Amino acid sequence: MFEISYSLCEYCTVSKQKQKSLSLASTPLSLPIPLNRISSSSSSFSSSSSRLIRKEMSREEERAAEMENENGVWEEEQCRLYEAYNELHGLAQAFDTPFDAPAVLVVGHQTDGKSALVEALMGFQFNHVGGGTKTRRPITLHMKYDADAHSPLCRLLLPSNSDSHSDSDSEPHEKSLSLQEIQAYIEAENMRLEKEPCLFSAKEIIVRVDYKYCPNLTIIDTPGLIAPAPGPKNRALQVQARAVEALVRAKMQHKEFIILCLEDCSDWSNATTRRVVMQIDPELSRTVIVSTKLDTKIPQFARSSDVEVFLSPPTCMLDGCILGDSPFFTSVPSGRVGSGHDSVYRSNDEFKKAISLREMEDVASLEEKLGRSLSIQERSRIGVSKLRCFLEELLQKRYMDNVPLIIPLLEKEYRSATRKMNEINQELSTLDELKLKEKGRVFHDLFLTKLSLLLKGTVVAPPDKFGETLQDERTNGGAFVSSDGLQFPHKLIPNAGMRLYGGAQYHRAMAEFRFVVGGIKCPPITREEIVNACGVEDLHDGTNYSRTACVIAVAKARDTFEPFLHQLGCRLLHILKRLLPISVYLLQKDGEYLSGHEVFLRRVASAFNDFAESTERACREKCMEDLVSTTRYVTWSLHNKNRAGLRQFLDSFAGTEHNTMGSNCVPAGISQDSSFGSVANEKDTKSRADVKLSHVASGIDVASSIQTTETRLADLLDSTLWNRRLAPSSERIVYALVQQIFHGIKEYFLASAELKFNCFLLMPVVDKLPALLREDLKSAFEDDLDNIFDITNLRHLLGQRKRDAEIELKRIKRLKDKFRSLHKHLSSHQAHSTAFSDHR
């Protein structure tokens, strides 16, 4: 009983076709003959009426037979259509062609019962099912109904070079394997990927299955999504989760795929898998939602209203226009098929019967919880068999609708494969020394043209692919970091957020260098550094603070500016080396790239990189010579750029000292003036006293001035030459001199470095690189042309590419003819069916 119900539900499409044939075949038993032509009470018919009845019955029988024949042809065309789409999917996987056949893509988390549901849809077990990551490659299952296949007939699609006994020049071939061998192959692939760094692969394992219990479906089982816990301890699992999600998202990008979204939850407000699916299909317009493990959820509901909401979720919980208008609910019995002691089912038939029994028990449990019978609409969403029928009908409609669209795509791909074949033949015809040399020279000129174009400026290369923001440039090429470890905020640099390359990126890097170095202040000076810099002279033990200032300034400047010189060279070398892949892209885009000549291209790339590195090193050495000369000997006319500022500082310092000394002398002058004033009290001697007073006062002023200058000179010598105790005035003088010398070195270093990198790094790319590459090319041609172009290997590779192109061209042509024939027959059948319906 279970087997009968299972097969009827499972193959509803085939049954419908047979029912149509049966109904048409039985039409003579219920002919629409007017009652006035037949009279049961009449004993005789007129001869004309009898002939008319027999003629009409014969016509109806002919129509029924014709329709039955048409149905047989239709089923045959459906089978051919399904096979054509399977071949189209295999072609897309083998040659990375830009079209995909409609298929059902199963998406779910690791514990959602994804692989178990796929096995239930097929009617037999084959996969590696269990906890953890059991699927590391997508598995594509081309299932086909075959009434004569009483056991699953499995064929694994293998690439041409996977079997050592197969001809490497042949097409990808199918290999018949048993279910156990298929399962062993999948487990071996999972174990292989588990040991590799990538862990997962987007390349599909393609299996074709013919079975009497299989629906006509193409299902792609993807690796289960992972929801790792946060924290550094789970980084490995977090990396796996990102890899799986990226793989699944890439598969969901194909517009032809129907997404089977599995949710293992009893509350539709928890969108675990839908969160990922809706990033690709926001409206769920090509998504079928399935709630798995229904048998474990039914006991969780305490009230019938909860069951009602679960079976028919409101739009606020389950938004979007999902396929089928509402979710499906499935249960798959646990247990594996096998002969071991841990196996639950001895055969796939037992497993199939258990699925049917589980479906009936789910319906009974739901009706018991609801306290009523399920409606027809509700029953059509419960069980694996209902989901299978829905997917089969949906996929069949997609197949029919896409046939007219596939033909133009195949035509376009056929033209592309033909053009590829012509290019290969053209390359094979040019494999002689003279033509290869000429191709090398032409490539040399085109390569230099692209380099010059990138330096001058272009928008041909996409910035999102080849451009770098300032933050990316700092990460990849190194940042300008001062001795204190601080970086200049990148947001303050013009065009910092723009993705630049070529000359624009070079100019931005040089501008950042000017910003960073130009804003550097002299490092702080300690009193200990000043005292240590004084030292002892060879002729006396006095101090020379001008020499002290020079010693400190050049040491500070050398330590500060030398790292920036190396950082600038590293940054600009990174920018120049990036010109190579961008130039290659431009050559490929314009169809000027020498594909297949890898040895020659590697030599050109090596020559360019060696030139860039040697040129940067030579330029940096020239800049280093300037920095060494500037910090080895102080030339006041060069280093003391801001002489007016220094003079103003020293003048203010001298004025302060003069005022201090003047204030100490004023009281003596006043006392003398007072004593002289007391002598001239009498009126008769007043005029004579005034004259004498003026002479005496003038003499006193001169003597006081001489005394003050001598005192100041003595104080200056005492504080700068004889005294080793560092006075504040001496410290300020040394600091001012150091600042002045440091500033002069900085200005000279900044201008010299920018000028030299422009002249000895940038300009050689324009005027010296062409000659160097030309000489390298000439030397290569003279030494060993065969090794440079690797003619023997190139001829072998071109031959292999030609054979692959011929295989691809042959398969595309066969598919194109097959789809064109299918389209013609399907259109004819549709027109004939319409005419027959109109006639009836």
Side-chain angles (χ1 to χ4, degrees), residues 155-172:
R155 298 182 303 278
L156 180 67
L157 185 66
L158 297 172
S160 58
N161 57 354
S162 64
D163 191 353
S164 58
H165 302 288
S166 65
D167 185 5
S168 61
D169 298 336
S170 63
E171 299 184 28

mmCIF file of all heavy atoms in Angstrom, residues 155-172:
data_model
loop_
_atom_site.group_PDB
_atom_site.id
_atom_site.type_symbol
_atom_site.label_atom_id
_atom_site.label_comp_id
_atom_site.label_asym_id
_atom_site.label_seq_id
_atom_site.Cartn_x
_atom_site.Cartn_y
_atom_site.Cartn_z
ATOM 1 N N ARG A 155 25.834 7.360 -12.891
ATOM 2 C CA ARG A 155 26.989 7.627 -13.732
ATOM 3 C C ARG A 155 27.640 8.924 -13.236
ATOM 4 O O ARG A 155 26.969 9.956 -13.113
ATOM 5 C CB ARG A 155 26.597 7.758 -15.198
ATOM 6 C CG ARG A 155 25.990 6.493 -15.768
ATOM 7 C CD ARG A 155 25.658 6.624 -17.243
ATOM 8 N NE ARG A 155 24.751 7.742 -17.516
ATOM 9 C CZ ARG A 155 23.435 7.683 -17.374
ATOM 10 N NH1 ARG A 155 22.866 6.564 -16.933
ATOM 11 N NH2 ARG A 155 22.686 8.722 -17.646
ATOM 12 N N LEU A 156 28.934 8.859 -12.987
ATOM 13 C CA LEU A 156 29.697 10.010 -12.495
ATOM 14 C C LEU A 156 30.406 10.664 -13.668
ATOM 15 O O LEU A 156 31.100 9.991 -14.438
ATOM 16 C CB LEU A 156 30.708 9.559 -11.439
ATOM 17 C CG LEU A 156 31.589 10.644 -10.824
ATOM 18 C CD1 LEU A 156 30.760 11.615 -9.991
ATOM 19 C CD2 LEU A 156 32.688 10.023 -9.964
ATOM 20 N N LEU A 157 30.226 11.983 -13.790
ATOM 21 C CA LEU A 157 30.891 12.717 -14.870
ATOM 22 C C LEU A 157 32.308 13.055 -14.429
ATOM 23 O O LEU A 157 32.519 13.757 -13.438
ATOM 24 C CB LEU A 157 30.113 14.008 -15.193
ATOM 25 C CG LEU A 157 30.644 14.809 -16.391
ATOM 26 C CD1 LEU A 157 30.449 14.018 -17.675
ATOM 27 C CD2 LEU A 157 29.941 16.160 -16.489
ATOM 28 N N LEU A 158 33.272 12.549 -15.166
ATOM 29 C CA LEU A 158 34.680 12.751 -14.834
ATOM 30 C C LEU A 158 35.341 13.611 -15.902
ATOM 31 O O LEU A 158 35.008 13.504 -17.094
ATOM 32 C CB LEU A 158 35.407 11.406 -14.749
ATOM 33 C CG LEU A 158 34.922 10.445 -13.656
ATOM 34 C CD1 LEU A 158 35.587 9.096 -13.812
ATOM 35 C CD2 LEU A 158 35.226 11.023 -12.284
ATOM 36 N N PRO A 159 36.303 14.459 -15.510
ATOM 37 C CA PRO A 159 37.050 15.223 -16.515
ATOM 38 C C PRO A 159 37.932 14.307 -17.332
ATOM 39 O O PRO A 159 38.218 13.173 -16.949
ATOM 40 C CB PRO A 159 37.879 16.212 -15.677
ATOM 41 C CG PRO A 159 37.963 15.589 -14.329
ATOM 42 C CD PRO A 159 36.700 14.807 -14.141
ATOM 43 N N SER A 160 38.394 14.816 -18.458
ATOM 44 C CA SER A 160 39.132 13.969 -19.400
ATOM 45 C C SER A 160 40.448 13.478 -18.838
ATOM 46 O O SER A 160 40.938 12.425 -19.217
ATOM 47 C CB SER A 160 39.379 14.734 -20.708
ATOM 48 O OG SER A 160 40.103 15.930 -20.438
ATOM 49 N N ASN A 161 41.068 14.225 -17.911
ATOM 50 C CA ASN A 161 42.389 13.845 -17.398
ATOM 51 C C ASN A 161 42.320 13.191 -16.029
ATOM 52 O O ASN A 161 43.315 13.061 -15.343
ATOM 53 C CB ASN A 161 43.297 15.074 -17.317
ATOM 54 C CG ASN A 161 42.697 16.162 -16.458
ATOM 55 O OD1 ASN A 161 41.561 16.046 -16.022
ATOM 56 N ND2 ASN A 161 43.463 17.216 -16.230
ATOM 57 N N SER A 162 41.115 12.825 -15.561
ATOM 58 C CA SER A 162 40.995 12.243 -14.224
ATOM 59 C C SER A 162 41.319 10.762 -14.202
ATOM 60 O O SER A 162 41.657 10.207 -13.184
ATOM 61 C CB SER A 162 39.583 12.473 -13.678
ATOM 62 O OG SER A 162 38.649 11.794 -14.482
ATOM 63 N N ASP A 163 41.212 10.116 -15.336
ATOM 64 C CA ASP A 163 41.445 8.679 -15.402
ATOM 65 C C ASP A 163 42.700 8.427 -16.203
ATOM 66 O O ASP A 163 42.827 8.825 -17.344
ATOM 67 C CB ASP A 163 40.237 7.976 -16.047
ATOM 68 C CG ASP A 163 40.316 6.487 -15.885
ATOM 69 O OD1 ASP A 163 41.360 6.015 -15.400
ATOM 70 O OD2 ASP A 163 39.348 5.798 -16.254
ATOM 71 N N SER A 164 43.637 7.738 -15.619
ATOM 72 C CA SER A 164 44.910 7.500 -16.301
ATOM 73 C C SER A 164 44.743 6.613 -17.519
ATOM 74 O O SER A 164 45.571 6.616 -18.411
ATOM 75 C CB SER A 164 45.916 6.866 -15.323
ATOM 76 O OG SER A 164 45.390 5.651 -14.810
ATOM 77 N N HIS A 165 43.680 5.826 -17.564
ATOM 78 C CA HIS A 165 43.471 4.924 -18.697
ATOM 79 C C HIS A 165 42.680 5.582 -19.812
ATOM 80 O O HIS A 165 42.507 4.995 -20.868
ATOM 81 C CB HIS A 165 42.736 3.656 -18.230
ATOM 82 C CG HIS A 165 43.464 2.924 -17.156
ATOM 83 N ND1 HIS A 165 44.627 2.216 -17.381
ATOM 84 C CD2 HIS A 165 43.214 2.817 -15.817
ATOM 85 C CE1 HIS A 165 45.046 1.660 -16.249
ATOM 86 N NE2 HIS A 165 44.206 2.019 -15.282
ATOM 87 N N SER A 166 42.169 6.787 -19.600
ATOM 88 C CA SER A 166 41.361 7.453 -20.610
ATOM 89 C C SER A 166 42.245 8.268 -21.520
ATOM 90 O O SER A 166 43.340 8.675 -21.171
ATOM 91 C CB SER A 166 40.305 8.352 -19.957
ATOM 92 O OG SER A 166 40.943 9.387 -19.263
ATOM 93 N N ASP A 167 41.745 8.507 -22.700
ATOM 94 C CA ASP A 167 42.441 9.344 -23.669
ATOM 95 C C ASP A 167 42.342 10.788 -23.227
ATOM 96 O O ASP A 167 41.266 11.331 -23.051
ATOM 97 C CB ASP A 167 41.813 9.152 -25.057
ATOM 98 C CG ASP A 167 42.577 9.908 -26.129
ATOM 99 O OD1 ASP A 167 43.634 10.489 -25.811
ATOM 100 O OD2 ASP A 167 42.113 9.914 -27.274
ATOM 101 N N SER A 168 43.458 11.470 -23.048
ATOM 102 C CA SER A 168 43.460 12.845 -22.554
ATOM 103 C C SER A 168 42.870 13.811 -23.540
ATOM 104 O O SER A 168 42.548 14.930 -23.200
ATOM 105 C CB SER A 168 44.895 13.273 -22.203
ATOM 106 O OG SER A 168 45.711 13.210 -23.359
ATOM 107 N N ASP A 169 42.754 13.391 -24.801
ATOM 108 C CA ASP A 169 42.213 14.300 -25.812
ATOM 109 C C ASP A 169 40.711 14.143 -25.976
ATOM 110 O O ASP A 169 40.100 14.808 -26.794
ATOM 111 C CB ASP A 169 42.889 14.043 -27.173
ATOM 112 C CG ASP A 169 44.389 14.308 -27.097
ATOM 113 O OD1 ASP A 169 44.791 15.086 -26.220
ATOM 114 O OD2 ASP A 169 45.134 13.739 -27.914
ATOM 115 N N SER A 170 40.093 13.228 -25.244
ATOM 116 C CA SER A 170 38.665 12.985 -25.402
ATOM 117 C C SER A 170 37.856 13.936 -24.549
ATOM 118 O O SER A 170 38.392 14.667 -23.719
ATOM 119 C CB SER A 170 38.347 11.535 -25.014
ATOM 120 O OG SER A 170 38.659 11.337 -23.655
ATOM 121 N N GLU A 171 36.566 13.912 -24.767
ATOM 122 C CA GLU A 171 35.659 14.752 -24.000
ATOM 123 C C GLU A 171 35.561 14.232 -22.564
ATOM 124 O O GLU A 171 35.916 13.095 -22.271
ATOM 125 C CB GLU A 171 34.273 14.735 -24.637
ATOM 126 C CG GLU A 171 34.216 15.263 -26.051
ATOM 127 C CD GLU A 171 32.787 15.301 -26.552
ATOM 128 O OE1 GLU A 171 31.885 15.434 -25.719
ATOM 129 O OE2 GLU A 171 32.579 15.203 -27.767
ATOM 130 N N PRO A 172 35.084 15.100 -21.645
ATOM 131 C CA PRO A 172 34.744 14.591 -20.310
ATOM 132 C C PRO A 172 33.747 13.446 -20.432
ATOM 133 O O PRO A 172 32.770 13.527 -21.170
ATOM 134 C CB PRO A 172 34.125 15.822 -19.634
ATOM 135 C CG PRO A 172 34.740 16.980 -20.330
ATOM 136 C CD PRO A 172 34.922 16.551 -21.750
#
